[in-house]
Amino acid sequence: MQVRYEKVGRTGKNRFTGEEREPIDKAYYICQTYNRLGKDACTSHKVEARDLYNLVLKDIQELAAMALKDVESFYQRISSRMERRYLADASEMEKERERLEARNREIDDMFLNLYTDKAKGILSEQRFVKLTAAMEREQEENQKQLKELTLSLRRSNEQESDVRTFIREIRQYATIQELDEGILNRLISRILVGEVKKVGGEKFQEIKIIYNFVGEIPAVTE
């Protein structure tokens, strides 16, 4: 999303209250992909800066209040959702890890066969070099993926620590009345803004707040 401001000349006062409007009340966020590539790439969805600010502030306040009221219940609420997600992810990652390891063992066997064929004169030197180079590249790529999978699997096992860390962080903000850059950086990874849709004649817009350590908490933010 890209920040934009109202055109010069628009009134600086709230038309309902007559009060001077702050800069945030004149700003909005609009899809940068749409602006750059047009409607074939994305929709022209946007959100008013003040509306987004209020939504994020309210969500943080509610989460902090829940964490203060009953920390263990709040922990179970978040960790149970994360556990379901991580278990599914971990299962797929484990299958991929086993596949890559099996493929690497298979390539090792193929190397031995190629050396044997070369020694017997069945395979030319040029062909041998070409085939072994391709297999070495594949093994290197597999090793890279295995390393990434190992880190991801280890990450899934750190779930409890992540939830506890998030709870320690969020509890500090139960009484906040305004947001600043420090709070946003400590708590939030990113915010996803969806397009406005009509349901039953009413307009709805999905905003997803992705928190550091725990991701989205849909039961609270929807």
Side-chain angles (χ1 to χ4, degrees):
M1 305 296 285
Q2 186 177 48
V3 67
R4 290 287 183 87
Y5 293 89
E6 293 178 357
K7 294 180 180 178
V8 176
R10 292 281 183 91
T11 177
K13 293 185 177 181
N14 186 303
R15 59 177 176 158
F16 299 109
T17 66
E19 296 177 350
E20 287 293 328
R21 299 164 71 209
E22 298 180 36
I24 190 175
D25 296 313
K26 303 175 186 179
Y28 60 92
Y29 294 95
I30 190 166
C31 178
Q32 186 172 235
T33 302
Y34 173 83
N35 278 344
R36 190 172 69 251
L37 302 175
K39 63 181 181 181
D40 291 333
C42 199
T43 61
S44 62
H45 55 287
K46 64 180 182 178
V47 63
E48 297 292 331
R50 174 63 73 181
D51 290 341
L52 186 61
Y53 177 98
N54 291 339
L55 174 68
V56 173
L57 177 60
K58 182 174 182 289
D59 203 68
I60 291 174
Q61 289 170 332
E62 290 181 354
L63 287 172
M66 291 169 60
L68 280 175
K69 183 179 180 181
D70 190 339
V71 65
E72 285 306 313
S73 175
F74 187 61
Y75 169 80
Q76 291 299 329
R77 182 174 189 168
I78 297 177
S79 61
S80 62
R81 177 191 59 81
M82 290 180 67
E83 184 176 3
R84 288 194 297 272
R85 187 186 74 196
Y86 280 134
L87 284 175
D89 291 346
S91 176
E92 291 301 315
M93 286 189 289
E94 187 62 35
K95 288 179 183 177
E96 180 63 8
R97 185 182 67 82
E98 292 174 357
R99 186 191 71 78
L100 290 171
E101 289 179 342
R103 176 57 180 166
N104 277 349
R105 290 193 296 269
E106 183 181 328
I107 291 175
D108 286 338
D109 292 338
M110 291 169 66
F111 267 122
L112 291 174
N113 291 333
L114 288 176
Y115 276 110
T116 301
D117 289 346
K118 178 176 175 293
K120 291 180 178 179
I122 299 174
L123 194 66
S124 69
E125 179 70 24
Q126 184 179 5
R127 185 64 175 163
F128 173 79
V129 170
K130 186 176 181 180
L131 289 173
T132 53
M135 288 191 293
E136 284 175 350
R137 285 195 298 270
E138 184 180 352
Q139 273 198 325
E140 287 175 2
E141 181 60 31
N142 289 348
Q143 286 301 126
K144 181 180 177 182
Q145 291 184 48
L146 282 167
K147 185 177 180 180
E148 291 173 353
L149 284 170
T150 299
L151 291 173
S152 296
L153 285 165
R154 186 182 304 160
R155 177 70 175 167
S156 70
N157 293 328
E158 296 172 351
Q159 170 194 331
E160 180 177 356
S161 175
D162 286 345
V163 176
R164 295 294 183 189
T165 299
F166 176 73
I167 290 174
R168 284 198 303 272
E169 290 289 335
I170 198 72
R171 281 163 61 95
Q172 302 177 49
Y173 303 107
T175 60
I176 63 167
Q177 297 302 313
E178 59 183 37
L179 299 174
D180 59 35
E181 185 178 356
I183 294 173
L184 294 176
N185 288 335
R186 286 176 71 89
L187 293 180
I188 295 175
S189 170
R190 62 191 184 279
I191 300 172
L192 307 179
V193 179
E195 61 183 292
V196 175
K197 297 180 180 179
K198 278 192 175 182
V199 180
E202 292 188 57
K203 290 183 178 180
F204 292 88
Q205 185 172 26
E206 184 178 50
I207 308 290
K208 292 184 178 181
I209 303 173
I210 314 298
Y211 285 95
N212 291 328
F213 305 106
V214 295
E216 184 190 4
I217 310 178
V220 179
T221 58
E222 64 185 15

